[in-house]
Amino acid sequence: MLIEQMKKVFPNSMIKANEPLSLYTYTETGGPADILVLPKEKEEVAAMVRWINEQQVPLTVLGNASNLIVKDGGIHGVVMVLTEMNDITVNRHQITVQSGARLIDTSYAALEAGLTGLEFACGIPGSIGGAVFMNAGAYEGEVSEVIHTVTILTRDGEIKTLKNKDLEFSYRHSAIQETRDIVLEVEFHLEKGKPADIKKRMEELTFLRESKQPLEYPSCGSVFKRPTGYFTGKLIQEAGLQGKIWGGAQISEKHAGFIVNIAQATATDYIELIAYIQKVILENTGVELVPEVRIIGEDL
């Protein structure tokens, strides 16, 4: 079996068979991964990718799956979760972060070092790799504004360092979405600031987030991209959909732009509710809602 071969080649790596991905997603939904691996080092990732390529097995790479829905049929092949790669190093104005570290933790490392520029990220739960992938942002800030370089691994197993301009950042987009390169490490360049001012801004944004977002329930974060000229939550409210329950999923009563897991929801509940929202909003307003959340995997 493939997993037995993999364990022999990588005896010191964490490798699991038929692992439920609901244990790793923020929605607490999702079917199993045939094989799940949790590497801890860049070199380990590179060696695994090359070996997986040789076996001609599909590879899916995940961060901490905060803005992701994995379908109930799970994911075939190998799923690589990078959350064990979470080192954060500060050197003067520079913060170097491994891709599995949380963006929230990185923003607090910047605060501790008296560096400004990442305050907007203090409430974004995604990993650094995921933040690069989708150019994560909030409260008028985006990671593209403070990224200097990104170290990636190509799907052929080659490590490269890309500059900011190479990533082709735009709203909720980076070139990684097309190249499918694996983010290994990110170097942020920030400015010196006053710790008291940085802390005050982060406290303000944390208050806003906690007062407006349904953090008490599992969710995939903001479900849809903001359509030009509109606010998604307002469109959903005006359509009378806020609070609607679909299986175990619900359009949050606190923020209509979120879908929460209130009663052991399945990924199918989420996906069907997303499609229903899109249908109703398009019929009512002519506005086409585009998901921000990624949906991957196999149907049951």
Side-chain angles (χ1 to χ4, degrees):
M1 288 181 65
L2 183 69
I3 189 163
E4 299 306 325
Q5 295 175 36
M6 195 170 193
K7 285 181 175 180
K8 285 180 181 177
V9 177
F10 302 100
N12 298 318
S13 297
M14 197 180 304
I15 302 173
K16 302 182 180 185
N18 202 35
E19 180 77 353
L21 290 168
S22 57
L23 299 175
Y24 300 86
T25 61
Y26 267 55
T27 59
E28 298 182 4
T29 66
D34 289 346
I35 299 173
L36 183 132
V37 298
L38 294 106
K40 295 183 177 181
E41 304 293 340
K42 289 187 290 185
E43 296 75 18
E44 186 182 4
V45 174
M48 281 186 169
V49 168
R50 289 192 286 267
W51 186 85
I52 291 165
N53 287 344
E54 289 171 4
Q55 311 310 309
Q56 298 183 326
V57 176
L59 170 64
T60 302
V61 181
L62 304 180
N64 64 0
S66 61
N67 201 212
L68 180 77
I69 295 171
V70 176
K71 293 181 179 181
D72 295 317
I75 300 176
H76 294 317
V78 178
V79 175
M80 182 179 286
V81 175
L82 299 178
T83 49
E84 294 295 310
M85 293 177 51
N86 54 20
D87 287 346
I88 301 172
T89 306
V90 180
N91 182 14
R92 302 182 69 181
H93 289 211
Q94 173 185 311
I95 300 184
T96 303
V97 192
Q98 289 185 318
S99 63
R102 297 195 312 161
L103 193 52
I104 288 175
D105 296 337
T106 307
S107 73
Y108 278 92
L111 166 62
E112 192 173 321
L115 297 174
T116 183
L118 274 174
E119 290 90 330
F120 73 89
C122 67
I124 300 176
S127 67
I128 291 297
V132 173
F133 181 90
M134 66 174 296
N135 188 18
Y139 302 111
E140 310 303 320
E142 293 179 332
V143 293
S144 57
E145 297 165 2
V146 286
I147 286 175
H148 182 59
T149 61
V150 176
T151 301
I152 60 96
L153 179 75
T154 69
R155 288 300 176 121
D156 294 328
E158 182 184 357
I159 295 177
K160 294 182 177 179
T161 298
L162 305 179
K163 295 181 179 179
N164 185 300
K165 62 181 177 60
D166 300 324
L167 275 298
E168 300 175 12
F169 286 117
S170 59
Y171 176 65
R172 299 298 176 265
H173 174 269
S174 75
I176 301 292
Q177 294 178 18
E178 284 76 51
T179 64
R180 297 174 63 246
D181 293 334
I182 300 166
V183 176
L184 297 176
E185 195 170 80
V186 177
E187 184 181 299
F188 294 97
H189 278 198
L190 305 173
E191 300 293 331
K192 270 293 181 186
K194 295 180 179 178
D197 293 344
I198 297 168
K199 184 179 180 182
K200 181 181 178 184
R201 180 58 176 159
M202 289 172 69
E203 287 174 345
E204 289 170 352
L205 295 181
T206 298
F207 174 78
L208 285 174
R209 179 172 177 263
E210 290 178 347
S211 62
K212 293 182 178 181
Q213 296 183 16
L215 304 180
E216 63 273 27
Y217 292 105
S219 83
C220 56
S222 182
V223 176
F224 300 103
K225 295 179 181 179
R226 181 186 293 180
T228 304
Y230 297 91
F231 291 98
T232 305
K234 193 166 186 290
L235 288 172
I236 294 170
Q237 284 177 329
E238 291 173 349
L241 295 180
Q242 188 163 17
K244 183 171 183 60
I245 295 173
W246 195 287
Q250 180 185 42
I251 299 173
S252 170
E253 295 177 321
K254 194 171 185 180
H255 189 312
F258 287 67
I259 297 175
V260 292
N261 183 347
I262 60 167
Q264 296 180 317
T266 64
T268 301
D269 293 339
Y270 266 87
I271 292 164
E272 289 179 351
L273 183 51
I274 287 169
Y276 179 74
I277 295 167
Q278 289 174 303
K279 177 176 178 288
V280 171
I281 299 304
L282 185 61
E283 289 175 351
N284 285 8
T285 67
V287 176
E288 185 175 354
L289 292 181
V290 177
E292 178 176 311
V293 62
R294 291 173 62 213
I295 301 173
I296 62 174
E298 306 291 328
D299 294 316
L300 278 175

